[in-house]
Amino acid sequence: MAKNTPQPKQNEAVSRRDFLALGAGALGLIGLLQTGGMALQFLAPRRVDGEFGGVVAVGPAESFPPGSVTEFPDGRFFLARAADGGFLAVSRRCTHLGCAVSWHAADGQFACPCHGSHFDLIGDVQNPPAPRALDTYPITVSDGALMVDTAKAQQRDSFAPEQLVYV
Amino acid sequence: MSWLNAMIDRLRYRSAPPPEDRSRMRAVANNIVLHLHPTRVPAPALRFSRTWGLGGISALLSVLLIITGVLLMFRYDASIERAYPAVQAMETVIPFGSLLRGIHHWAGNLLMITVVLHMVRVFAAGGFRGERRMNWVVGLGMLVLVLTFNFTGYLLPWDQLAFWAITVGTGLLTYVPLVGQMVSDFLLGGPEVGQSALRNFYALHVALLPVVLIFGLSYHFWRVRKDGGVTIPPQSEQVVRLTTIPHLVTAELGVALITLAGLLIFAMAVPAPLEALANAAHPPNPAKAAWYFLGVQELLLHMHPLAALALAAIGLLGLAVLPLWDRDSSDEGVYFRSPTGRMAGLLGAALAIVLTPLLVLVDELWLDLPALLAPTSTLISNGLLPLLLTLGGLAGIYAGLRRGLRARHSEALVGLFSFVMVALVVLTAVGIWFRGPNMALVWPF
Ligand code: HEM
Ligand code: FES
């Protein structure tokens, strides 16, 4: 009996049994991490091409008079043209909690019904609680026609003249 | 009708109805539903004012929600084209569809109330100390679970109310530092509330959350028994222990029947609301969150989202660490600890009733901190400053109760707890009834 039982050797830092247990534990942990990673990738947000998020052609610059705001519901943005002729594609998503703002031509303001934020034509906050100006989308010009890329909204604290795009 | 009684008894007890105590106790131990109960209960724990039946009502509502929810699933489609028509059909053509939907809707809302009241009751009785601290935290988890249930269910009818409440709710999430944007993206499955969001919320509401609820509740009940049952004050003389049948079971049955009858009548009189089809371009004015979030939404009108979230997180954390914060078990089971504790609670509530509306009015009409401190960032003037002022006020109330009433730590905590809870109720009431178009203050009557 005693002869066959492996005697733990004093100078061994890790016994064979501990080593195997540790290895099995480590394998188990790796397996768990892999499963978790798989689940996360499986559940990751699915973005569908062609929906909101593509490039929207808004037409020739002349059709938007200076000082006007035109809504593009499918693109979730407003095309605003400042008095000096510069363009800005202003996102419809309120920077407070994400309600849709609407343009009130009479007051010259974007108003959010949810918590009462107001923004001026170029998207600057006129009335909190919104913490920053409305997001914008990049505008590109080709042959005098404007294209708005709605893939990624650009955040900004407030309006700066270089945000305007001129034809 | 004795044959009917005999038949029901056969179903309930397998063999004959238990004639005397010993076999009655065995019947409890042998029955799957009954065996959640102990076989005998101390008489003081059976007093209705010990629990107000709140935990039991919550459990009953949970079961009712699962049954009605499964029925609704047979008629519902989690697609943005078909969800709204499906719910409309329930309201108009499907027999008893409107009633079923009403029961599910109002049971969910009532559960929100009974779970919070249950928590208040456990707090007041000091049932969160010692052995019971684990179950207090589990209970708090159940409260958050009930909130999550309601939040995910809110989107499913796909009407205006649903769409904008979830838009605002997930918008709030994005302010949580580091993980907020990720969690919001994950829940919505995209940049805005759409098909992916509806599918995700549906899967959570009908599959994942119910499983967590069933396991959570089972554990919660099991712990109640392990921890020696409901908290009762130390007794001077030997307590009588009564058998669960009939003393506890009859009381439970009575409460259950009254709850069911009340809920049924209410659901018949007031159908669950259904507004116009969701329209992503036009939020209704005012666009409010679900009523149980309106307290937090009201805070949002007064401070930076980060500050409002921090305040809510601090409140929840305070509840979670309560068993460590208040370990003085000398007054276990005595409601509000002592006459001093009761006084502290009353003062806290009175202060909240006066102070909260006053602060809302002052901030709305006269005080404009961001404009007053113009060059400083709104994160400080509208965020950090109101947050610190609120926390300072709470500390002041605690200190005032300690000094003014000579209250012990645990008695002063009763005052603090009562102030916070009543303030939350007042804020919620302001959000529900006193906010009109553009979230301006209005007089509702
Ligand atoms: C779905 C939600 C919940 C259900 C169905 C439920 C159910 C119950 C039931 C039936 C009891 C037995 C005694 C009684 O009726 O009071 C109980 C006890 C208890 N509950 Fe809950 N509960 C829920 C949520 C909560 C919450 C939110 C808390 C607190 C944060 C909590 C903490 C406790 C504690 C500590 C006990 C121990 C017994 C005592 O000291 O009286 N539970 N619960
Ligand atoms: S979401 Fe626009 S003001 Fe709150």
Side-chain angles (χ1 to χ4, degrees), chain B residues 50-60 62 111 115-116 118-119 121-122 125-128 132 135-144 146 213 217 220-221 224 227 229-231:
Chain B
R50 254 308 99 193
T51 64
W52 303 102
L54 290 166
I57 296 176
S58 307
L60 173 76
S62 304
L111 182 60
V115 171
V116 170
H118 173 55
M119 181 186 81
R121 198 282 296 166
V122 173
F128 52 84
R132 293 191 176 87
N135 218 14
W136 169 260
V137 177
V138 173
L140 215 55
M142 302 304 294
L143 176 65
V144 174
V146 169
L213 178 80
L217 273 188
H220 192 64
F221 297 154
V224 174
D227 299 340
V230 173
T231 330

Side-chain angles (χ1 to χ4, degrees), chain B residues 56-250:
Chain B
I57 296 176
S58 307
L60 173 76
L61 291 174
S62 304
V63 173
L64 189 66
L65 282 162
I66 291 179
I67 296 173
T68 51
V70 168
L71 280 173
L72 291 176
M73 282 176 72
F74 284 91
R75 291 289 197 170
Y76 176 82
D77 258 323
S79 124
I80 56 176
E81 280 91 32
R82 290 197 295 269
Y84 186 74
V87 178
Q88 252 181 341
M90 276 187 240
E91 286 297 335
T92 51
V93 294
I94 298 173
F96 298 108
S98 178
L99 180 64
L100 200 64
R101 204 180 148 239
I103 295 175
H104 193 76
H105 179 90
W106 295 121
N109 282 284
L110 184 61
L111 182 60
M112 213 50 251
I113 298 174
T114 56
V115 171
V116 170
L117 288 180
H118 173 55
M119 181 186 81
V120 170
R121 198 282 296 166
V122 173
F123 173 85
F128 52 84
R129 306 193 185 107
E131 297 270 82
R132 293 191 176 87
R133 73 177 163 225
M134 179 62 189
N135 218 14
W136 169 260
V137 177
V138 173
L140 215 55
M142 302 304 294
L143 176 65
V144 174
L145 186 67
V146 169
L147 269 173
T148 322
F149 253 116
N150 267 317
F151 184 63
T152 49
Y154 213 80
L155 182 63
L156 303 184
W158 203 252
D159 61 351
Q160 278 287 72
L161 218 57
F163 186 91
W164 292 103
I166 302 304
T167 299
V168 172
T170 46
L172 186 55
L173 269 180
T174 58
Y175 283 95
V176 178
L178 302 179
V179 293
Q181 187 66 50
M182 236 162 59
V183 175
S184 162
D185 276 353
F186 179 79
L187 274 178
L188 294 185
E192 53 178 6
V193 177
Q195 178 60 57
S196 313
L198 183 60
R199 195 196 299 113
N200 286 356
F201 275 53
Y202 186 60
L204 287 173
H205 189 78
V206 306
L208 187 64
L209 297 181
V211 172
V212 179
L213 178 80
I214 290 169
F215 279 101
L217 273 188
S218 312
Y219 185 73
H220 192 64
F221 297 154
W222 178 72
R223 286 273 357 162
V224 174
R225 279 195 61 184
K226 286 290 273 190
D227 299 340
V230 173
T231 330
I232 49 176
Q235 304 291 316
S236 48
E237 39 204 278
Q238 182 72 31
V239 293
V240 192
R241 294 177 68 84
L242 300 168
T243 50
T244 293
I245 303 173
H247 300 278
L248 180 56
V249 171
T250 329

Side-chain angles (χ1 to χ4, degrees), chain A residues 40-129:
Chain A
L40 274 184
Q41 284 194 17
F42 179 80
L43 294 173
R46 303 147 285 251
R47 282 170 201 264
V48 187
D49 285 334
E51 281 183 0
F52 159 61
V55 178
V56 180
V58 301
E62 310 85 74
S63 45
F64 308 100
S68 75
V69 168
T70 316
E71 181 168 13
F72 288 84
D74 290 337
R76 277 49 156 184
F77 67 86
F78 296 90
L79 191 69
R81 188 166 196 189
D84 71 346
F87 282 102
L88 205 59
V90 179
S91 161
R92 161 177 106 178
R93 196 183 154 82
C94 177
T95 51
H96 181 227
L97 292 175
C99 280
V101 300
S102 51
W103 174 248
H104 295 258
D107 319 322
Q109 281 187 329
F110 293 103
C112 179
C114 290
H115 311 100
S117 289
H118 290 192
F119 309 83
D120 61 11
L121 184 134
I122 43 179
D124 259 344
V125 180
Q126 299 289 295
N127 189 41

Side-chain angles (χ1 to χ4, degrees), chain B residues 24-65:
Chain B
R24 280 179 176 157
M25 283 156 66
R26 197 168 323 114
V28 170
N30 286 342
N31 181 295
I32 183 156
V33 176
L34 286 176
H35 104 278
L36 291 172
H37 299 85
T39 51
R40 283 167 177 275
V41 192
L46 281 170
R47 300 263 307 272
F48 187 62
S49 60
R50 254 308 99 193
T51 64
W52 303 102
L54 290 166
I57 296 176
S58 307
L60 173 76
L61 291 174
S62 304
V63 173
L64 189 66
L65 282 162

